[in-house]
Amino acid sequence: MISLLDYGAGNVRSLRNAIHALGFSLTEIERPEDILKAERLIFPGVGAFGAAMERLHRLGYVEPLREYLAAGRPYLGICIGLQTLFEGSEECPGVAGLGLIPGQVRRFDDSELAVPHMGWNDVRVERDSPLFADYAGEKFYFVHSFRAEQSAENADWVLASSDYGSPFVSAVQRGQVGAVQFHPEKSGAAGLRLLRRFLAGDAVPETPAVREAAAAPTKLARRVIACLDVRANDAGDLVVTKGDQYDVRESGAVRNLGKPVELAARYYEEGADEVTFLNITGFRDFPLADQPMLEVLERASERVFVPLTIGGGIRAFTDAEGTHYSALDVADRYFRAGADKVSIGSEAVHIVEQALALGGEGDGTSAIEQIAEVYGNQAVVVSIDPRRVYVERPEDTRHHTVETAEPGPGGERYCWFQCTVKGGREGRDIDAVELARVCERLGAGEILLNSIDRDGTGAGFDLELVGAVRSAVRIPVIASSGAGCVEHFAEVFERTGVEAALAAGIFHRREVPIEAVKSYLRERGIETRLR
Ligand code: 1PR
């Protein structure tokens, strides 16, 4: 019997789904005494280090957990579940961790690299362990801004390490107590195999043999993301649709490119590094009343073991009965249905308008700040829907302009990228660069950068837009809109340095397989994840 320590701070649905998909059953830790009764314990820590420790204390779990760990009983910590084994974290100075492993957890340096460290990276397995017994060198999915460092005091704990700027600890193990910084439940087939090894309880060698570690640094892959724009068609069924410059109708009817769950499962099988659902009419429909969308997410998360993002309608709402829901309530429901990240579109524009009116700072009440505080920055994506506005000279506007190689209709040589709301229907007086910067400051963990001009055209990503936003922020940026062939992916990675590229139409219409994109990227020397 497997016991899951879920202290209610975030999405552990995907872990439950993965455990069930592997044929194991689970029991939940509900009281402190359940911990010492557990036979095998999994702690998928989520959110911030301090919040996790605070909850463990409040629930009376800290002492039984320390006792369980000190007895060396079977344990698998995941992400914060690894970090809390250490003495403390720079994330919350003064808050003690469980203290089993000597050392502090520190923030990644973001002076050269995007932080969070988000995506698929390799691990260097340094000792024999049943966890990695059938490991074939695949990458695992990481998402974190803080990491444990190896030192002389904790070297006997380190099972695997990885590199992101500098080396960090990606797995620890001593006897039956182990933990991983990555998310096995989101790491495709390789992650599921590792999880199965723990669940099956293979014997751990007393003195594991030291493995010859690879000398080359591990590399974070550029991600290839499949996106499903979802809405109800005229018959009321939820379908995957796809627009041309955001117009999803053809001869008056909503284009239907397939069923959301089936397509998401197909993309998982075909090697997508992440799958994104955008509920494109979420700006006008209240998502919590939109049960089919939640059901889509629930069913997709039973079959897709890579990260799932959901966007559309994440904002505060008062229903017809006068019940008020905060944006956090809406996000919470999406997370519980299986999302790993939520994407905020129109509401982000309104948030930034308000923040700018307050001098560019937040007051703690916005959806971005509130969701990031509870679920962590990495769980909050901001989706931007910009459209080009041409000007003769940069002085003609207060907005961030670029000199463009594609002059405007009147031969204008400059343009700015105007943010829109409501699926491109309404332009606002704010540009994509400013929006991205303010959202980063408020706590967004990633930018999903669309382009209305390029959407559905197959003409390639808007490199001028992507380059401008990429260089304005430190958080990861996903380039979206316009992919028409494999070369477009290489071009956007090589010329702008974005962390991920997203496409829809070419995958839905089976014009370009995901694997073809990745083989081409590999030929060009761009790191990708092999399935
Ligand atoms: O504003 O918070 O309710 O969120 C609504 C979300 O829905 C936003 O993320 C917005 O981008 C999206 N959305 C709204 N209307 C549309 C539409 O198409 N009419 N879709 C829409 C946005 C852009 C991408 C698309 C890429 C790649 N679609 O999702 O998948 O452009 O397409 P391509 O590879 O075929 O070129 P809120």
Side-chain angles (χ1 to χ4, degrees):
M1 185 52 89
I2 313 300
S3 298
L4 183 75
L5 200 166
D6 168 16
Y7 52 76
N11 169 33
V12 295
R13 186 186 185 97
S14 41
L15 181 62
R16 283 199 186 90
N17 285 338
I19 293 170
H20 288 142
L22 290 167
F24 290 84
S25 52
L26 265 177
T27 172
E28 307 281 333
I29 299 291
E30 283 166 357
R31 288 171 295 272
E33 51 274 29
D34 295 342
I35 292 178
L36 289 168
K37 287 188 201 139
E39 289 170 13
R40 309 190 70 71
L41 183 62
I42 302 198
F43 178 33
V46 280
F49 183 97
M53 285 309 303
E54 192 266 323
R55 289 223 192 196
L56 291 178
H57 276 291
R58 189 147 37 90
L59 292 164
Y61 288 175
V62 170
E63 284 321 311
L65 204 47
R66 284 201 171 118
E67 199 177 325
Y68 184 95
L69 291 164
R73 294 171 57 189
Y75 179 90
L76 182 67
I78 298 176
C79 193
I80 292 285
L82 175 143
Q83 298 183 5
T84 47
L85 292 175
F86 285 79
E87 291 169 315
S89 170
E90 233 175 51
E91 189 174 13
C92 307
V95 175
L98 294 166
L100 187 69
I101 307 180
Q104 292 289 320
V105 174
R106 299 192 195 285
R107 192 168 201 278
F108 281 112
D109 174 5
D110 68 2
S111 54
E112 301 284 330
L113 294 162
V115 175
H117 169 233
M118 186 187 289
W120 300 79
N121 202 334
D122 311 288
V123 298
R124 264 186 307 267
V125 181
E126 304 192 355
R127 285 181 288 128
D128 271 348
S129 157
L131 291 180
F132 289 100
D134 49 11
Y135 173 57
E138 299 96 331
K139 291 182 188 289
F140 291 101
Y141 185 78
F142 291 81
V143 51
H144 57 130
S145 300
F146 294 80
R147 85 295 195 216
E149 288 166 321
Q150 185 163 354
S151 66
E153 288 73 47
N154 62 30
D156 57 336
W157 273 98
V158 177
L159 172 58
S161 58
S162 302
D163 301 297
Y164 191 61
S166 56
F168 67 91
V169 176
S170 45
V172 293
Q173 187 169 30
R174 206 151 84 174
Q176 303 272 10
V177 176
V180 289
Q181 178 59 65
F182 51 85
H183 287 265
E185 75 283 14
K186 286 283 140 193
S187 295
L192 294 181
R193 286 205 312 277
L194 181 142
L195 210 48
R196 186 201 300 276
R197 285 285 179 170
F198 172 76
L199 299 172
D202 296 351
V204 180
E206 282 278 307
T207 30
V210 174
R211 287 196 186 181
E212 186 138 338
T218 73
K219 287 189 187 152
L220 182 67
R222 303 284 166 181
R223 287 171 280 150
V224 176
I225 301 177
C227 181
L228 294 88
D229 288 0
V230 178
R231 62 160 287 169
N233 64 9
D234 299 316
D237 302 318
L238 270 194
V239 296
V240 174
T241 191
K242 183 66 219 83
D244 292 326
Q245 300 186 316
Y246 285 35
D247 180 1
V248 299
R249 288 184 183 268
E250 197 167 72
S251 316
V254 172
R255 269 197 204 115
N256 180 350
L257 291 163
K259 294 186 178 164
V261 178
E262 274 60 36
L263 263 190
R266 187 187 116 198
Y267 294 141
Y268 167 63
E269 298 295 333
E270 291 177 358
D273 296 322
E274 289 183 30
V275 173
T276 296
F277 286 109
L278 295 176
N279 181 355
I280 66 168
T281 52
F283 70 88
R284 61 169 180 244
D285 307 322
F286 178 45
L288 296 193
D290 198 359
Q291 292 304 331
M293 191 64 218
L294 290 167
E295 199 189 310
V296 160
L297 201 50
E298 281 165 8
R299 288 180 27 234
S301 70
E302 286 165 8
R303 295 170 62 183
V304 175
F305 298 105
V306 294
L308 276 175
T309 301
I310 172 97
I314 298 183
R315 68 198 145 95
F317 192 87
T318 304
D319 69 12
E321 279 81 53
T323 311
H324 181 76
Y325 298 88
S326 67
L328 180 60
D329 295 329
V330 179
D332 198 56
R333 190 66 193 86
Y334 275 149
F335 286 122
R336 278 188 285 127
D340 299 289
K341 311 186 221 180
V342 293
S343 155
I344 307 179
S346 305
E347 182 65 11
V349 180
H350 302 310
I351 291 170
V352 170
E353 286 171 345
Q354 277 169 19
L356 289 174
L358 293 172
E361 298 303 324
D363 60 4
T365 63
S366 73
I368 297 175
E369 292 158 287
Q370 292 195 337
I371 301 170
E373 163 138 19
V374 176
Y375 289 95
N377 308 67
Q378 81 293 334
V380 183
V381 183
V382 164
S383 164
I384 315 183
D385 298 318
R387 183 183 272 125
R388 284 177 172 236
V389 176
Y390 287 95
V391 286
E392 294 279 354
R393 299 162 309 160
E395 309 79 78
D396 294 347
T397 172
R398 70 167 189 89
H399 294 291
H400 180 99
T401 53
V402 296
E403 186 171 2
T404 177
E406 299 159 44
E412 300 91 339
R413 287 183 33 248
Y414 292 88
C415 74
W416 61 281
F417 300 97
Q418 182 183 31
C419 292
T420 64
V421 295
K422 303 179 184 165
R425 287 167 183 80
E426 189 184 318
R428 309 289 298 189
D429 188 25
I430 183 158
D431 67 72
V433 169
E434 185 170 39
L435 186 97
R437 278 199 183 120
V438 177
C439 289
E440 173 180 46
R441 201 153 61 230
L442 294 177
E446 194 171 29
I447 300 291
L448 163 52
L449 184 57
N450 302 294
S451 153
I452 299 179
D453 307 288
R454 292 297 173 97
D455 173 58
T457 62
F461 298 94
D462 186 334
L463 301 176
E464 292 169 346
L465 163 67
V466 177
V469 172
R470 171 59 286 167
S471 55
V473 291
R474 297 253 182 250
I475 53 179
V477 175
I478 304 166
S480 162
S481 305
C485 56
V486 294
E487 289 81 358
H488 289 155
F489 289 85
E491 185 179 66
V492 77
F493 288 130
E494 286 170 349
R495 300 208 11 216
T496 71
V498 276
E499 286 67 25
L502 171 151
I506 52 167
F507 296 150
H508 301 337
R509 295 187 300 268
R510 293 185 184 271
E511 288 166 12
V512 179
I514 293 172
E515 192 43 52
V517 174
K518 293 197 174 178
S519 346
Y520 182 74
L521 293 175
R522 278 196 297 280
E523 271 169 35
R524 305 272 314 182
I526 298 169
E527 190 73 12
T528 60
R529 170 181 79 108
L530 294 167
R531 239 178 316 149

